[in-house]
Amino acid sequence: MEPQRSPLLEVKGNVELKRPLAKAASRLPLSGRRLKRGPDQMEEALEPEKKRTRGLGTRVSTTHPRAAALSSAPQTQGQTTVPKAPRKPAPRCSTAVAPVLKTQKPGPVVPAQKPGTTAAPPMVGGKKPKRPAWDLKGQLCDLNAELKCCREKKQVLDQENQQLRDQLQEAQQQALALGAERRSLEEELTRVRAQAEQGQRELGNLSARVLELEERLGTQEGLVQELQKEQLRLQEERTGLAARLGEQERRLQTSEASLSDSQEEVASLRQEAAAREAVLAEREDRLHGLEMERRRLHNQLQELKGNIRVFCRVRPVLPGESTPSPGFLQFPSGPCGPSDPPTRLSLSRSDERRGTLSGAPAGPTRHDFSFDRVFPPGSGQDEVFEEISMLVQSALDGYPVCIFAYGQTGSGKTFTMEGGPGGDPQMEGLIPRALRHLFSVAQELSGQGWTYSFVASYVEIYNETVRDLLATGTRKGQGGECEIRRAGPGSEELTVTNARYVPVSCEREVEALLHLARQNRAVARTAQNERSSRSHSVFQLQISGEHAGRGLQCAAPLSLVDLAGSERLDPGLALGPGERERLRETQAINSSLSTLGLVMMALSNKESHVPYRNSKLTYLLQNSLGGSAKMLMFVNISPLEENVSESLNSLRFASKVRSLAARSPSGFLLTVGICTLVLGASGTCILKGCIFARHLTIDFWGD
Ligand code: ADP
Ligand code: MG
């Protein structure tokens, strides 16, 4: 079976395999079929020729068998093939050989009939007639002839044998050569097979590679298809984008056109804005100048009104109190009639000790008082605050402001300062209203570049001891721990040790502080009977303002003081232990109040020594009194006739204070004249808490 050939081998075979085979065939005298046999088989291959030659007795051959065998080598099989006769033992040389010999060498083989012998019987039917038995001579003759024939035949056969041996030797040599050639061919075949196997393997690898590449090709083709689709999509998208781009470009051109218009417009607007900014800056400067002018004029106005002002407030008759007789208190109208705010008050007192000559009781004595403003019992808290809001503005402008509430216990001092009970907004006192006003104005001034901060403290002075009303925790209700000290060596600023200074920025924080102060007073009230009315309550707010843009600063304290009850001890009372304590309290109160009067007097008289240190109250308030400080005293009056004596005392004290106001620097303004102070370019002038800096010219009224 022919091995399956690879295409590669087949190609090679066409070139290489056929060549040695053809070469071998050309060198061999034998047919290709015989060449396939080995050298051992060669003799065997030659054997049938011999046999055929030997077996010619049965066949008639016109050619020499040996020559036929040799000459038939290059012939085709069909031309040379003679059906093989079955191998038989070589027949003895008999009559059967004769025809062969006759055909080969007919002449010499046929024996001549000897005389004396009978001639050979004629052929009957192709067969040699048998000699009769008696023809011994004939028979001998035949035998001799036959022997001669055999000898000749033998000679021929020997020659043939020798030829065959030579041929055999030659064939063997050929076989050896062929064997060598075969081995080389086999080696070549092995090499070729190895090459074929290598080629096969390479082919396998290449096939696998081809498969892999085909697979990759398939994948790549899929990818290519996808990419083609993507490319199509992108092309569509590109077309869309190009259209949009065209649109955008058109819009851009339009926009650029409008932009250039806008830029021109912007340029003109910028010019306009620059012009406006210049105008604005100029206006700001003017506004600032106006603000400073407003401050100056406001201060002038306040000073014209008086750096010390006294307001009188009469509280209404409370439920359960006896209504005073008509005409007991009167509020005469001003020069412009009832539309004028009242500034005068008349108190009628019937003195039973005085009598007329007729013995009839004398008529009531009328006491007239005049103040900067008088608030009759029906005046509301808002009305009262309106009058002092100007002073609060002065505090923001950098002038120390101090507001006192003076009067006997129950006259309405606390109501005026803090407000009525119940948290009714209408009943709110001066402290919450003043602070709300401060926060609001500070907010407005922030638009002009001013920044304000506020720090609150609230203390009470009882029997010349200072107690923090904003104390919390374990310090709540305790007193005597606070001392008034200077903030530092050489500093004019005063501070109360152990007292809380709380920054505040809104009304709620102030309300919380007032609530805490009320709680602290309530604790003290249980410890000592009505101590709150026997002590001075001082609410202080440190106001600090700064105009960073112009390098201006201002600072001033706003003090709101609810003074202790000014009533005197009834001299008719027996002096028990409680009364002695009360007497001591009263003496302390009277001492501090008279010191306050003396301080005011010393300030108004421009005395070199002001007795601030004579009481804790004046010592604490020394920065809020005198100089450019604004002082307002509320004298609170009870409307009751039974309190007439204390009311008169209060009114007289207040009148004295007011008389000081008439002699205060502002009182002499019109007569003394105007003094102008011009500050240097980098100079700073401190005016009792009011600081002005840089390029600022101040015209102020002064002595
Ligand atoms: P003081 O502090 O001088 O001792 P208060 O402020 O405590 O007096 O006032 C005593 C009482 O009179 C309080 O009940 C207060 O509510 C009331 N009162 C004072 N002034 C007024 C007023 N103007 N309107 C209404 N009630 C007032
Ligand atoms: Mg009070």
Side-chain angles (χ1 to χ4, degrees):
M1 189 177 164
E2 196 175 13
Q4 195 179 1
R5 291 184 174 188
S6 64
L8 185 65
L9 194 60
E10 202 164 66
V11 173
K12 256 185 152 180
N14 288 336
V15 181
E16 295 178 11
L17 287 179
K18 283 181 180 175
R19 189 160 29 89
L21 288 175
K23 200 167 72 177
S26 67
R27 280 183 297 186
L28 284 174
L30 300 175
S31 70
R33 190 168 58 84
R34 286 184 185 174
L35 273 175
K36 288 178 184 172
R37 295 175 187 165
D40 301 335
Q41 292 166 313
M42 190 59 72
E43 201 166 353
E44 197 181 350
L46 295 171
E47 200 64 27
E49 301 296 327
K50 289 181 189 174
K51 287 170 186 172
R52 273 198 298 275
T53 309
R54 282 177 206 132
L56 284 176
T58 56
R59 291 176 61 190
V60 177
S61 176
T62 56
T63 57
H64 195 277
R66 176 63 188 164
L70 291 172
S71 64
S72 68
Q75 290 176 356
T76 59
Q77 200 172 355
Q79 289 170 323
T80 57
T81 302
V82 178
K84 280 185 182 178
R87 187 177 272 193
K88 288 180 185 175
R92 287 165 57 190
C93 191
S94 61
T95 55
V97 177
V100 175
L101 293 174
K102 279 175 192 171
T103 55
Q104 286 177 338
K105 289 181 178 176
V109 172
V110 178
Q113 199 170 3
K114 290 178 178 178
T117 59
T118 60
M123 298 287 275
V124 180
K127 282 188 177 181
K128 192 180 177 183
K130 202 175 176 182
R131 287 178 185 275
W134 51 269
D135 193 5
L136 290 173
K137 199 174 175 180
Q139 285 178 5
L140 182 64
C141 190
D142 288 346
L143 286 171
N144 281 331
E146 193 177 349
L147 179 64
K148 191 181 176 183
C149 177
C150 282
R151 278 177 181 155
E152 285 173 357
K153 193 178 174 183
K154 179 184 172 277
Q155 194 180 353
V156 169
L157 285 172
D158 283 342
Q159 286 174 355
E160 194 178 345
N161 189 29
Q162 186 59 44
Q163 281 177 354
L164 286 171
R165 281 181 193 279
D166 292 344
Q167 280 182 1
L168 178 64
Q169 196 175 354
E170 190 185 347
Q172 279 176 342
Q173 283 172 355
Q174 278 186 358
L176 282 173
L178 285 171
E181 193 171 359
R182 177 178 166 247
R183 277 192 296 279
S184 80
L185 285 173
E186 277 176 351
E187 282 172 9
E188 193 172 356
L189 182 64
T190 308
R191 189 173 53 77
V192 167
R193 275 182 184 154
Q195 279 182 358
E197 281 172 10
Q198 176 67 22
Q200 195 74 24
R201 277 197 299 276
E202 281 177 8
L203 185 67
N205 290 340
L206 285 171
S207 300
R209 177 81 179 139
V210 165
L211 280 174
E212 186 190 336
L213 286 173
E214 278 174 352
E215 198 176 319
R216 281 178 63 186
L217 182 66
T219 315
Q220 295 292 333
E221 278 173 355
L223 206 64
V224 165
Q225 282 176 356
E226 278 180 20
L227 286 172
Q228 281 171 346
K229 282 182 196 166
E230 181 70 11
Q231 189 188 13
L232 279 174
R233 192 184 63 74
L234 286 173
Q235 276 174 349
E236 285 171 10
E237 202 173 306
R238 182 171 167 266
T239 312
L241 284 172
R244 280 177 60 193
L245 184 66
E247 178 64 25
Q248 295 290 337
E249 276 175 353
R250 277 194 296 281
R251 281 193 196 169
L252 184 65
Q253 284 171 355
T254 316
S255 299
E256 277 174 351
S258 65
L259 180 67
S260 66
D261 292 347
S262 300
Q263 278 174 341
E264 285 173 15
E265 203 175 332
V266 164
S268 73
L269 283 172
R270 274 190 184 146
Q271 285 179 349
E272 207 175 317
R276 281 188 184 170
E277 268 178 24
V279 171
L280 199 65
E282 189 187 319
R283 282 187 184 167
E284 266 182 19
D285 285 346
R286 274 185 60 199
L287 188 64
H288 180 70
L290 287 172
E291 167 64 16
M292 300 313 292
E293 182 68 5
R294 181 201 63 73
R295 291 188 179 202
R296 189 181 66 82
L297 291 173
H298 182 81
N299 191 45
Q300 274 188 9
L301 179 66
Q302 297 308 310
E303 285 181 344
L304 283 170
K305 281 186 170 183
N307 273 357
I308 299 174
R309 268 176 273 173
V310 181
F311 290 176
C312 177
R313 186 178 192 185
V314 182
R315 76 160 171 83
V317 178
L318 299 175
E321 290 178 339
S322 56
T323 312
S325 54
F328 170 65
L329 277 172
Q330 288 179 3
F331 304 94
S333 303
C336 298
S339 61
D340 250 6
T343 55
R344 293 187 295 163
L345 174 141
S346 297
L347 188 145
S348 299
R349 178 185 187 183
S350 54
D351 194 345
E352 290 166 357
R353 290 171 296 179
R354 282 199 313 132
T356 57
L357 290 173
S358 60
T365 311
R366 184 180 161 134
H367 302 271
D368 293 327
F369 297 95
S370 181
F371 299 105
D372 295 287
R373 179 76 197 265
V374 173
F375 295 98
S379 307
Q381 296 280 64
D382 50 346
E383 206 178 331
V384 173
F385 178 73
E386 202 181 315
E387 272 298 316
I388 66 146
S389 63
M390 302 290 271
L391 282 181
V392 173
Q393 181 67 54
S394 288
L396 270 176
D397 292 348
Y399 297 94
V401 173
C402 191
I403 301 173
F404 295 99
Y406 180 93
Q408 70 172 115
T409 301
S411 60
K413 299 184 295 297
T414 306
F415 183 90
T416 300
M417 283 297 173
E418 289 188 21
D424 182 356
Q426 290 295 321
M427 296 292 169
E428 271 183 345
L430 295 184
I431 295 175
R433 284 172 192 268
L435 270 88
R436 189 186 305 134
H437 185 74
L438 282 173
F439 295 143
S440 156
V441 176
Q443 184 67 32
E444 284 172 20
L445 285 172
S446 68
Q448 294 179 30
W450 285 93
T451 311
Y452 279 92
S453 63
F454 306 94
V455 179
S457 65
Y458 207 173
V459 298
E460 72 171 5
I461 302 170
Y462 171 76
N463 269 347
E464 290 301 283
T465 56
V466 182
R467 195 169 71 97
D468 185 15
L469 287 176
L470 302 182
T472 52
T474 52
R475 290 178 56 240
K476 224 170 179 177
Q478 293 176 2
E481 301 165 3
C482 302
E483 287 297 329
I484 303 163
R485 298 263 165 82
R486 294 211 171 268
S491 168
E492 288 194 7
E493 195 184 334
L494 293 171
T495 182
V496 178
T497 59
N498 293 328
R500 281 179 71 209
Y501 287 83
V502 185
V504 287
S505 56
C506 64
E507 295 166 52
R508 266 193 310 109
E509 291 171 354
V510 177
E511 279 171 22
L513 293 183
L514 294 179
H515 180 71
L516 178 62
R518 273 194 289 273
Q519 278 185 336
N520 276 331
R521 278 206 208 96
V523 172
R525 192 178 293 137
T526 54
Q528 295 172 26
N529 187 30
E530 285 299 329
R531 190 175 109 175
S532 63
S533 65
R534 315 298 301 155
S535 61
H536 311 297
S537 298
V538 183
F539 179 89
Q540 282 192 303
L541 191 74
Q542 285 295 330
I543 303 169
S544 304
E546 185 181 13
H547 194 300
R550 296 181 184 273
L552 298 176
Q553 289 178 330
C554 64
L558 169 66
S559 304
L560 300 160
V561 187
D562 183 356
L563 292 169
S566 58
E567 64 276 9
R568 295 154 303 171
L569 202 61
D570 190 345
L573 281 175
L575 285 179
E579 282 71 26
R580 271 200 289 276
E581 176 62 26
R582 190 75 188 271
L583 182 62
R584 208 165 62 84
E585 281 177 358
T586 308
Q587 282 168 348
I589 293 164
N590 288 342
S591 168
S592 63
L593 290 176
S594 60
T595 301
L596 180 64
L598 288 171
V599 164
M600 286 178 179
M601 191 176 287
L603 287 169
S604 69
N605 291 338
K606 304 294 290 176
E607 291 173 11
S608 59
H609 174 72
V610 182
Y612 292 119
R613 286 183 173 270
N614 286 4
S615 80
K616 290 277 168 62
L617 178 69
T618 51
Y619 188 52
L620 181 64
L621 295 174
Q622 61 180 290
N623 287 337
S624 304
L625 305 171
S628 61
K630 315 287 177 249
M631 199 192 83
L632 173 68
M633 180 172 281
F634 275 95
V635 55
N636 290 91
I637 302 295
S638 164
L640 305 180
E641 282 188 280
E642 63 199 54
N643 294 328
V644 67
S645 175
E646 290 301 332
S647 297
L648 274 175
N649 279 334
S650 298
L651 289 168
R652 284 177 185 139
F653 179 83
S655 291
K656 276 183 192 168
V657 171
R658 189 157 187 274
S659 69
L660 294 174
R663 292 158 55 199
S664 71
S666 58
F668 296 102
L669 283 174
L670 293 175
T671 53
V672 172
I674 301 170
C675 172
T676 303
L677 172 67
V678 180
L679 293 175
S682 59
T684 302
C685 181
I686 302 172
L687 296 171
K688 273 285 181 181
C690 179
I691 303 169
F692 293 90
R694 289 184 204 164
H695 308 291
L696 186 65
T697 302
I698 305 169
D699 297 343
F700 72 98
W701 298 92
D703 50 350

